[in-house]
Amino acid sequence: VAAQEKSFANLVNQAKSIETSYSYKDFIGRVSKRSGYRLTLVTEKSKKAKNVLGYVVYRFRQKALNVLQVAVSEQHRGSGLGRLILRWLVQQAKKAGTVDTVELLGPSGGLAFYEKFGFTSSRKEAPEGEDGINGHVCLEFSLKQSKSGQAKGPKKQAAPSATAMGRPELIRRVFEVCDQNRDGMLDQKE
């Protein structure tokens, strides 16, 4: 999403309101073609998206996918949406073909969440080319294959599916997470 594009202004503003609950820094404001930062919004499944459930700000570097922020709206935290976003990011890194690691700057309070997914603490203060943030740690997910053919990470935690999750699959899974009463439709509350 081009953060400055007028047709997405309402959705970007919703993402910015989620951002204020996460950080004092304006990561969404950094998104532009020139900077290389990208914004991906996660919305409910519909023909015309009306509500932002979460978002991610990231950019590709030489051998790494740098993630500045993963954010999920307060009402959707704990629903699995964050895991879906991380899985999608790892798949995007694999698609790029030149990326060895996914690096992200995460709040130290969320360390257990990222470790369950397979991220490990990095010795770096921040991903390459990024500024560190007080109270945040740099984490890495290695895409390099070990001898067993599995992505490095904890043995109990499976690496993201080898089958790439495309946009339709991501939308379907987000819909499943949001459809709390499992009726196949989203009501206003959901």
Side-chain angles (χ1 to χ4, degrees):
V1 168
Q4 297 79 12
E5 195 167 319
K6 291 179 182 178
S7 62
F8 293 111
N10 181 44
L11 296 173
V12 171
N13 285 334
Q14 287 181 49
K16 284 182 177 184
S17 71
I18 295 170
E19 180 181 48
T20 58
S21 70
Y22 273 90
S23 175
Y24 63 91
K25 284 197 170 189
D26 177 16
F27 292 115
I28 294 173
R30 294 183 184 186
V31 174
S32 71
K33 285 183 182 180
R34 177 176 276 188
S35 71
Y37 290 108
R38 300 176 183 196
L39 171 65
T40 296
L41 301 173
V42 179
T43 64
E44 77 282 357
K45 183 179 179 179
S46 68
K47 288 186 180 187
K48 187 166 182 173
K50 294 179 184 168
N51 297 311
V52 174
L53 310 178
Y55 69 91
V56 60
V57 177
Y58 61 99
R59 72 175 169 175
F60 287 91
R61 302 293 283 183
Q62 286 182 341
K63 296 225 174 234
L65 173 62
N66 289 5
V67 181
L68 292 185
Q69 190 171 46
V70 175
V72 175
S73 68
E74 197 169 321
Q75 59 268 34
H76 292 94
R77 292 179 195 158
S79 66
L81 195 55
R83 277 190 314 275
L84 289 173
I85 293 170
L86 290 178
R87 186 175 296 132
W88 181 82
L89 283 165
V90 168
Q91 289 172 352
Q92 295 307 303
K94 286 179 179 180
K95 277 184 187 178
T98 60
V99 174
D100 293 334
T101 59
V102 176
E103 298 178 339
L104 67 83
L105 204 52
S108 53
L111 193 56
F113 167 75
Y114 293 108
E115 286 175 341
K116 279 186 205 175
F117 192 84
F119 281 85
T120 57
S121 294
S122 171
R123 293 183 180 172
K124 299 177 185 177
E125 192 174 305
E128 180 188 339
E130 310 300 343
D131 296 328
I133 299 175
N134 196 17
H136 285 64
V137 293
C138 185
L139 300 158
E140 295 179 342
F141 183 93
S142 177
L143 299 176
K144 293 179 182 179
Q145 298 295 310
S146 66
K147 290 179 184 177
S148 67
Q150 296 294 316
K152 291 181 181 179
K155 291 179 183 175
K156 291 183 181 178
Q157 175 65 38
S161 168
T163 306
M165 181 185 347
R167 185 181 177 111
E169 176 66 10
L170 177 63
I171 291 170
R172 185 186 66 74
R173 290 189 181 184
V174 168
F175 178 82
E176 288 173 358
V177 167
C178 295
D179 188 18
Q180 295 171 351
N181 61 7
R182 307 286 182 239
D183 65 353
M185 298 183 296
L186 295 179
D187 59 31
Q188 207 166 14
K189 180 184 167 208
E190 294 171 328

